[in-house]
Amino acid sequence: MAEVDEPGKPLFAGLSDVSISEDIPVEGDISVPVGSQNVDDVFSTLDEPVKDTILRDLRAVGKKFIHVMYPKQSSALLRDWDLWGPLLLCVTLALMLQGGSADSKEDGGPQFAEVFVIIWFGSVIITLNSKLLGGTISFFQSLCVLGYCILPLTVAMVVCRLVLLGFTGTISFIIRLIVVTASFSWSVFASTAFLADSQPANRKALVVYPIFLFYFVIGWMVLTFSPSQ
């Protein structure tokens, strides 16, 4: 028997005649309102000119170079990591080391491929060592930091080549030794400033030691470079 509100009248009488207005918002509506702003319309790199993309990436690389020279700003280099800067520095350093007398068969010095492999293989080994010791940063973040911190040694390579054009003998060696030592120290300082905080306190020395050897080998190649005759 149906419930009644008034004598002889059902409680829900006339409910079937009620219609829902289309203007009433329905929770869970999956339709996109006309005129709404799409996320892709805010920022999209698919439609931007190639020139703008290249310039933006170059500005990002330049900012990371500044972070290496002033390593107190460590968060940006770790957060917005990339491998374009390390690749550029590695190729530049390898090309400058390529043009020396070390390329002769008698000296058996490093070729372009050897320098390239030493830098990248050394970076991978240090990164794996850092991860095994409990490092909290990602694999590619570590590669990014180690690669960008080659910048001081790359600058030292440029200075050494300029010095070799104007000086020879003991004076040239002393100047190059000072420049390479300062650049080596800055590379180690910058890289440890970025990576040390991501390591357990009782294992930082085990992380810094391979970094020291890595930049020492690169610094030694820069110091012992001599132009071909």
Side-chain angles (χ1 to χ4, degrees):
M1 182 176 179
E3 297 182 6
V4 294
D5 186 22
E6 297 179 1
K9 184 177 181 180
L11 179 62
F12 300 106
L15 183 60
S16 59
D17 297 333
V18 177
S19 61
I20 300 176
S21 174
E22 295 181 357
D23 296 333
I24 300 177
V26 180
E27 184 178 358
D29 186 13
I30 62 174
S31 63
V32 179
V34 178
S36 63
Q37 190 175 19
N38 194 351
V39 177
D40 295 335
D41 295 336
V42 178
F43 179 77
S44 176
T45 59
L46 296 178
D47 298 329
E48 74 173 354
V50 177
K51 177 183 177 181
D52 295 342
T53 303
I54 294 176
L55 291 177
R56 188 184 67 253
D57 292 340
L58 289 177
R59 284 193 296 267
V61 171
K63 290 179 180 178
K64 292 181 177 67
F65 285 159
I66 296 176
H67 294 328
V68 172
M69 302 310 297
Y70 299 96
K72 61 181 181 179
Q73 303 178 3
S74 60
S75 59
L77 185 59
L78 294 177
R79 182 181 64 252
D80 304 324
W81 64 268
D82 68 79
L83 299 179
W84 291 113
L87 179 62
L88 176 63
L89 293 174
C90 180
V91 171
T92 302
L93 186 60
L95 286 174
M96 287 190 293
L97 289 172
Q98 177 80 8
S101 62
D103 297 324
S104 62
K105 296 181 179 179
E106 293 79 8
D107 294 337
Q111 301 291 329
F112 176 87
E114 294 174 351
V115 176
F116 199 86
V117 170
I118 287 173
I119 293 176
W120 284 103
F121 184 74
S123 299
V124 170
I125 293 300
I126 295 175
T127 300
L128 293 176
N129 176 70
S130 174
K131 297 296 291 182
L132 292 175
L133 291 175
T136 57
I137 64 175
S138 68
F139 182 84
F140 290 104
Q141 282 178 328
S142 180
L143 285 181
C144 174
V145 170
L146 294 172
Y148 270 102
C149 290
I150 300 177
L151 175 63
L153 289 170
T154 305
V155 175
M157 184 69 231
V158 176
V159 174
C160 288
R161 295 207 65 161
L162 294 176
V163 170
L164 289 171
L165 293 177
F167 302 94
T168 57
T170 305
I171 297 178
S172 173
F173 178 78
I174 293 176
I175 296 176
R176 288 186 289 125
L177 178 62
I178 295 174
V179 172
V180 173
T181 302
S183 300
F184 160 75
S185 301
W186 193 260
S187 293
V188 174
F189 170 73
S191 60
T192 52
F194 292 121
L195 298 177
D197 292 338
S198 64
Q199 303 297 324
N202 58 342
R203 297 180 178 179
K204 289 184 178 181
L206 297 176
V207 177
V208 173
Y209 179 67
I211 294 176
F212 177 89
L213 292 179
F214 173 67
Y215 291 116
F216 178 81
V217 171
I218 299 176
W220 181 258
M221 290 190 296
V222 173
L223 180 62
T224 57
F225 170 84
S226 58
S228 57
Q229 302 296 330

